Structure formats: structure tokens, C-alpha cells
């Protein structure tokens, strides 16, 4: 029987995202607290004679519109294949539950899960440093997705500091089902405040706007997609929500709750207001 390896590719949430500078190559320097949710995509790999990718799930059709050379799972697999002695192959199955180009790192999580699954399947003994280098070449969010636990992400995604968050938190995610390209949001971003890097975090509760936390890309994303502002307002008014914010470069917005029932009630409310949107209630890992 052939070995099958299954790796979850959780959604990545930027609980706050501060832009603290810009490099000469145009990339922005970030300071962001990243966490992961129970809800996500799934990668399954098994050895085979050819390298192939089979996609299923709610967003499989949207992904099929992307050329294979731009598919991060495919790119990750081709990169790793170069490290195998006799060019090993695999059948990769991706269950695409997360919306594309949505600020919750779906593609990055899939790429990171592919790296984890294929290094195990092909018994590649690559040092961590090499794996993180491969991840960063695939995209700025791939290293943090490879890390996969709560962390402060700095630089352009290459500087990761673990964070201990012990309290449970429930989250509702909403996306208007409209793609928003990361590059376009960063292009529209103009900095207004001089941000300082956050030194230390140990709870969700203090991450509110009044303590100066936010997502600096919200304004730029709203200028491209005004429905984001409306969705943020709707999230804020749900009962017991203690933070409502956009994740990454959008358009997905989230709200946090201390108890599960409150998040499930909020989900029902939002589904009524936005029947066309993608909306889920899940919890932070
Ligand atoms: O690395 P990734 O492919 O996700 O980035 C997409 C685009 O977003 C980059 O080409 C760049 O224009 C912009 N970006 C940025 N600063 C970052 C990350 C991304 O300006 N830290």
C-alpha cells in the first residue's frame, strides 16, 4: 500500500498588521501578529510515477483559472522535486476551501503544507534554514505558514518570533467573494503615521483599536473594494465581538469572540445580510 500524507493548510489571520517601512525594492516592512484557524484547506500527497495536482473543494473552479506555473502548490512541488535524487513524483490532492486572493494566505498555506507533506513523503532531509529560504522565494506569507503557530511576523515575512497565546478565541471570517490582489493594495497604500515595532504580546484582549492596533492596509483595500467598510461595520455590531478588522491585504475581515455561541450567532446574522459572501465561524489554533 502506498503511503498517504495529509497536512492541514489553515487560514492565516493577521490580528494586526502595521506597515513600519519600505525597502528600496518596493517591498514593505511589516509588524504583524499572525495566528491560524481550525478552518482551512487540506493537502494530501502520495507517491506516484508522475507529478500531478488534483483540486477539489468549494474554490476548485476559481483555482483552475490560474495557470499551473502561478499555482503555489505546483511551484512548491517543482522546487522540492529538484532536491530528490531520482526526480521523485507524487499525486497531490488539494481541497480548496479558502477563497483565493483574500488576505488569509490560502495559497501560502497550501504551499507551506505542500513543503511539509512532500519533504516527509520524499524523505528529504533539508535543514530548516533551506526550507524557510524556499518558502520565502514562493511568497512573503509562506514562511509564517510553514511555522504555523502564533507569531509576530516582521521584515517582509522572514523574521518570525513565537508568541504564547493561551486564552481560547473564536473567530468569524467574511469575504465578499471578490478577488483582491495583494500588490494592488500595497501600491495604493500611503503611510500616515510613523509606526513603532510592537515589543511583546500575550493576550488577544489588548489588541483593540484604542491601544493603537489596526490593519494599516484597510484604507487602501477599502478604496479598491468599498464593501469591506460595510462588512467591518456589520462585524463590529455583532454581539460580544471584541475586535473587528481586515486580515492581510483583504478583502477578508474577521471578528473575535470569547465564546463559541457568540461566534455562531454572529455567523447566522452575517449570512442573512450577505447571502453571496463566504462566511465561516471557526476558532484560533
Ligand atoms: O510576496 P507576495 O507574492 O505575497 O507579494 C505580492 C506583492 O505584494 C509583492 O509583489 C509586493 O508588491 C507586495 N508586497 C509588499 N510588501 C510585502 C509583501 C508584499 O509590498 N511585505
Amino acid at each position: 500500500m502506498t503511503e498517504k500524507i495529509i497536512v492541514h493548510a489553515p487560514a492565516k489571520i493577521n490580528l494586526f498588521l502595521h506597515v513600519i517601512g519600505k525597502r528600496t525594492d518596493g517591498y514593505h516592512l511589516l509588524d504583524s501578529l499572525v495566528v491560524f484557524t481550525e478552518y482551512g484547506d487540506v493537502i494530501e500527497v502520495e507517491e506516484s510515477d508522475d507529478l500531478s495536482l488534483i483540486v477539489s473543494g468549494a474554490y476548485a473552479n476559481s483555482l483552475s483559472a490560474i495557470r499551473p506555473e502561478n499555482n503555489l502548490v505546483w511551484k512548491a512541488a517543482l522546487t522540492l522535486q529538484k532536491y530528490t535524487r531520482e526526480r521523485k513524483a507524487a499525486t497531490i490532492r488539494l481541497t480548496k476551501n479558502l477563497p483565493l486572493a483574500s488576505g488569509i494566505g490560502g495559497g501560502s498555506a497550501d504551499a507551506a503544507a505542500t513543503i511539509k507533506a512532500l519533504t516527509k513523503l520524499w524523505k528529504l532531509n533539508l535543514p530548516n534554514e533551506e526550507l524557510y529560504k524556499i518558502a520565502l522565494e514562493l511568497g512573503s506569507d509562506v514562511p509564517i505558514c510553514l511555522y504555523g503557530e502564533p507569531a509576530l511576523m516582521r521584515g517582509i515575512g522572514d523574521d518570525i518570533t513565537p508568541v504564547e497565546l493561551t486564552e481560547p478565541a473564536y473567530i468569524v471570517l467574511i469575504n465578499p467573494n471578490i478577488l483582491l490582489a495583494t500588490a494592488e493594495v500595497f501600491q495604493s497604500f500611503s503611510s500616515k503615521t510613523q509606526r513603532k515595532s510592537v515589543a511583546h504580546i500575550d493576550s488577544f484582549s489588548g489588541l483593540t483599536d484604542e491601544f493603537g492596533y489596526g490593519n494599516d492596509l484597510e484604507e487602501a483595500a477599502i478604496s479598491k473594494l468599498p464593501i469591506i467598510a460595510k462588512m467591518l461595520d456589520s462585524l463590529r455590531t455583532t454581539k460580544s465581538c471584541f475586535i473587528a478588522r481586515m486580515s492581510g491585504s483583504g478583502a477578508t475581515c474577521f471578528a473575535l469572540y470569547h465564546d463559541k455561541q457568540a461566534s455562531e450567532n454572529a455567523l447566522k446574522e452575517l449570512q442573512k445580510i450577505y447571502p453571496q459572501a463566504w462566511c465561516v465561524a471557526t476558532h484560533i489554533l
Side-chain angles (χ1 to χ4, degrees):
M1 226 171 66
T2 57
E3 188 189 10
K4 226 182 233 177
I5 293 166
I6 299 173
V7 179
H8 285 271
K12 164 229 69 159
I13 310 297
N14 300 87
L15 288 188
F16 66 81
L17 189 154
H18 298 165
V19 179
I20 58 168
K22 196 175 176 184
R23 299 199 316 193
T24 45
D25 64 359
Y27 267 80
H28 294 77
L29 296 168
L30 307 179
D31 197 32
S32 178
L33 176 60
V34 177
V35 295
F36 297 91
T37 70
E38 153 81 346
Y39 194 89
D41 293 342
V42 183
I43 286 281
E44 188 184 304
V45 297
E46 89 187 288
E47 257 190 70
S48 139
D49 296 334
D50 306 300
L51 191 62
S52 63
L53 173 61
I54 301 164
V55 189
S56 61
Y59 286 93
N61 281 348
S62 326
L63 195 62
S64 64
I66 291 180
R67 288 158 57 158
E69 61 267 34
N70 293 327
N71 182 312
L72 282 180
V73 169
W74 193 244
K75 278 167 92 170
L78 289 183
T79 309
L80 283 182
Q81 196 184 39
K82 290 188 201 131
Y83 291 87
T84 65
R85 278 216 192 111
E86 353 47 79
R87 280 185 85 78
K88 289 201 175 192
T91 301
I92 306 169
R93 290 189 179 82
L94 164 63
T95 311
K96 190 77 210 151
N97 299 319
L98 300 171
L100 271 61
S102 65
I104 51 175
S108 305
D110 298 342
T114 305
I115 293 175
K116 286 181 195 169
L118 288 180
T119 48
K120 195 164 173 207
L121 184 77
W122 291 338
K123 297 179 178 60
L124 290 172
N125 240 335
L126 294 176
N128 257 347
E129 211 176 288
E130 189 71 22
L131 290 178
Y132 277 90
K133 195 170 149 250
I134 294 171
L136 189 62
E137 276 163 18
L138 291 167
S140 326
D141 278 340
V142 186
I144 192 75
C145 290
L146 195 58
Y147 181 68
E149 288 185 26
L152 279 167
M153 182 184 92
R154 299 197 174 102
I156 57 157
D158 50 331
D159 180 354
I160 295 167
T161 308
V163 167
E164 190 91 27
L165 291 166
T166 47
E167 57 187 316
Y170 298 89
I171 186 166
V172 170
L173 303 169
I174 186 162
N175 179 282
N177 269 322
I178 305 172
L179 308 182
L180 190 55
T182 303
E184 283 181 31
V185 175
F186 272 108
Q187 265 160 28
S188 300
F189 166 79
S190 62
S191 83
K192 294 209 174 65
T193 45
Q194 190 59 42
R195 290 275 198 191
K196 272 203 198 130
S197 188
V198 172
H200 179 73
I201 301 283
D202 56 12
S203 84
F204 295 112
S205 311
L207 301 172
T208 54
D209 298 32
E210 61 260 38
F211 288 119
Y213 294 96
N215 182 332
D216 291 348
L217 298 176
E218 259 175 36
E219 206 181 298
I222 290 168
S223 74
K224 303 259 155 218
L225 221 54
I227 193 172
I228 293 171
K230 197 171 164 250
M231 287 185 159
L232 282 169
D233 281 343
S234 303
L235 288 169
R236 267 182 213 114
T237 55
T238 58
K239 199 162 172 244
S240 307
C241 149
F242 65 95
I243 296 173
R245 203 162 276 158
M246 189 179 84
S247 178
S249 54
T252 305
C253 297
F254 65 87
L256 292 186
Y257 307 85
H258 290 299
D259 78 281
K260 192 172 183 211
Q261 192 57 52
S263 68
E264 286 169 356
N265 293 344
L267 174 70
K268 283 189 204 128
E269 226 178 280
L270 292 158
Q271 281 171 331
K272 271 190 216 141
I273 311 173
Y274 303 101
Q276 311 295 335
W278 170 81
C279 195
V280 296
T282 177
H283 67 268
I284 289 178
L285 295 172

